Amino acid sequence: MKRREFIKMQGQGLLGLGLGMAWPLGAVAESTKPIVLSTWDYGLRTNDVAWRLLSEGGSALDAVLAGAELAEMDPDNAYVGLGGFPDRDGIVTLDASVMDHGYNMGMVAGLEQVPRASALARAVMEHTPHTLLVGDGALQFAKEQGFETMNLLTPASEKAWKRWLETSRYQPGVNVENHDTMGLLGMDSQGRLAGVCTTSGMAYKMHGRVGDTPIIGSGLYVDPEVGAVAATGHGEEIVRAGGSLLVVEGMRSGLDPEEACRQVAQRVLKQLRHRGKDPALYQACFMALTKNGQYGACALQPGFTYAVQDAGQGNRLRQAPHVWSKL
Ligand code: ASP
């Protein structure tokens, strides 16, 4: 199969009009299967792992899970799994979700001691009649399933937490400095879609706080008739907007992925303004892939990057457009 990526100019080809300059307005990025997308700069690394499986004919589900696991087991990634920033009590709690082309889904939230949160979400999907397990119940299930447990607080994340305790000022962060939730979307050579989202959530959050990542429809959604969407950023705002499912519905109604993401980023902005909040303090980022291999992203603020890998152009980092900027 000849794989390629091209930019299809739909209509006028005007420049981004304040929506970020990454793409001309109306430009649709396309690829052919297999393909994998991952959030943030780290996504180049998770893509590589996922791609190894995809390029050998592996399933999208296995591929995205393998990528997520790389981040989760990396003690130097402070936003996911082992070494993730703890909550304000010094406890690392993880959230993850997974969904496949058959509307199958699994979620875990408030998970302690088990770094492979996304694999556990998959186990919920495959080995329970439920969709979401939280806290102690999730941990108990993990042990029953033979998952390895460990202290997730590394010396580096503990040190950062102790530094934070000196002021204990809680200002949920807005960008790459404070967020690195890994969202991966994949389509395999058979055209099957899958997605995963995994995070340690907002650094120094309240114990028990859960964001958008393990909430299917907010942090992640996969619809085999339309495409797949993952979100990262300020979980509360993504949940408030019903983020990922809303992007899917935009694509279902005919919007290209970037435009569908843009409209939901606009929705987040509108809701912030409605509530009298300063958009400068928030971030919400959406990344989407259609079942036909079109992909795109858009964020509230500048700074959201995502990585795309396919056979045509290899693995590359893209800057998402945005709908609001301080400047
Ligand atoms: N969305 C995540 C949360 O709110 C944070 C992130 O994307 O880094 O928990």
Side-chain angles (χ1 to χ4, degrees):
M1 193 198 319
K2 185 162 178 283
R3 299 185 179 98
R4 68 199 189 284
E5 177 183 89
F6 61 92
I7 301 169
K8 199 165 59 188
M9 299 304 296
Q10 292 185 323
Q12 63 280 70
L14 300 171
L15 286 180
L17 296 178
L19 304 178
M21 302 307 287
W23 286 99
L25 189 67
V28 181
E30 293 193 10
S31 170
T32 47
K33 53 186 188 274
I35 177 172
V36 59
L37 272 61
S38 294
T39 51
W40 303 113
D41 295 9
Y42 197 95
L44 287 170
R45 295 173 62 182
T46 53
N47 271 5
D48 264 342
V49 172
W51 182 254
R52 248 174 265 153
L53 293 179
L54 285 175
S55 60
E56 287 164 4
S59 77
L61 184 61
D62 287 343
V64 295
L65 264 292
E69 191 164 324
L70 172 85
E72 289 169 344
M73 296 312 294
D74 178 354
D76 296 327
N77 184 327
Y79 310 96
V80 175
L82 175 65
F85 285 132
D87 61 25
R88 59 187 57 181
D89 299 331
I91 304 166
V92 181
T93 63
L94 306 179
D95 302 329
S97 59
V98 63
M99 191 164 176
D100 75 5
H101 62 281
Y103 301 107
N104 301 304
M105 60 180 74
M107 312 164 233
V108 292
L111 175 68
E112 296 178 28
Q113 299 174 43
V114 180
R116 296 171 61 233
S118 50
L120 188 63
R122 181 182 187 166
V124 171
M125 172 171 100
E126 293 179 341
H127 304 304
T128 80
H130 307 302
T131 52
L132 168 63
L133 290 181
V134 303
D136 287 347
L139 176 58
Q140 189 185 324
F141 174 64
K143 287 177 178 165
E144 284 162 16
Q145 292 286 311
F147 277 74
E148 192 184 358
T149 57
M150 60 185 74
N151 177 12
L152 301 179
L153 190 67
T154 57
S157 52
E158 185 171 13
K159 202 170 150 199
W161 168 61
K162 288 200 167 139
R163 235 187 353 257
W164 176 80
L165 278 180
E166 288 165 17
T167 54
S168 298
R169 263 190 64 246
Y170 186 57
Q171 175 64 68
V174 293
N175 238 322
V176 68
E177 325 83 55
N178 282 305
H179 293 251
D180 219 345
T181 289
M182 292 313 302
L184 284 88
L185 305 174
M187 180 162 57
D188 59 33
S189 47
Q190 292 180 43
R192 293 172 300 194
L193 289 162
V196 63
C197 244
T198 182
T199 192
S200 51
M202 296 278 189
Y204 321 127
K205 61 195 176 186
M206 286 175 70
H207 185 64
R209 179 266 185 191
V210 171
D212 59 310
T213 305
I215 310 293
I216 290 285
S218 292
L220 181 71
Y221 202 79
V222 177
D223 190 319
E225 292 182 355
V226 180
V229 177
T232 173
H234 203 117
E236 285 72 4
E237 303 317 311
I238 294 164
V239 169
R240 205 181 312 280
S244 291
L245 182 56
L246 205 54
V247 176
V248 166
E249 292 311 304
M251 296 195 296
R252 194 192 307 277
S253 73
L255 300 178
D256 68 59
E258 182 181 304
E259 179 59 17
C261 290
R262 193 187 67 78
Q263 292 202 2
V264 180
Q266 288 277 16
R267 176 80 63 99
V268 171
L269 179 61
K270 196 170 141 192
Q271 291 178 347
L272 286 169
R273 287 185 169 142
H274 185 88
R275 296 167 56 240
K277 304 290 180 187
D278 178 0
L281 301 177
Y282 298 85
Q283 177 59 304
C285 319
F286 302 96
M287 175 181 85
L289 170 68
T290 72
K291 64 171 184 170
N292 300 320
Q294 295 180 338
Y295 59 88
C298 191
L300 176 65
Q301 292 206 44
F304 175 47
T305 56
Y306 66 108
V308 184
Q309 184 157 15
D310 58 15
Q313 291 197 17
N315 198 6
R316 66 265 186 203
L317 197 66
R318 307 181 73 89
Q319 187 75 42
H322 55 273
V323 297
W324 185 91
S325 147
K326 212 169 169 175
L327 301 175

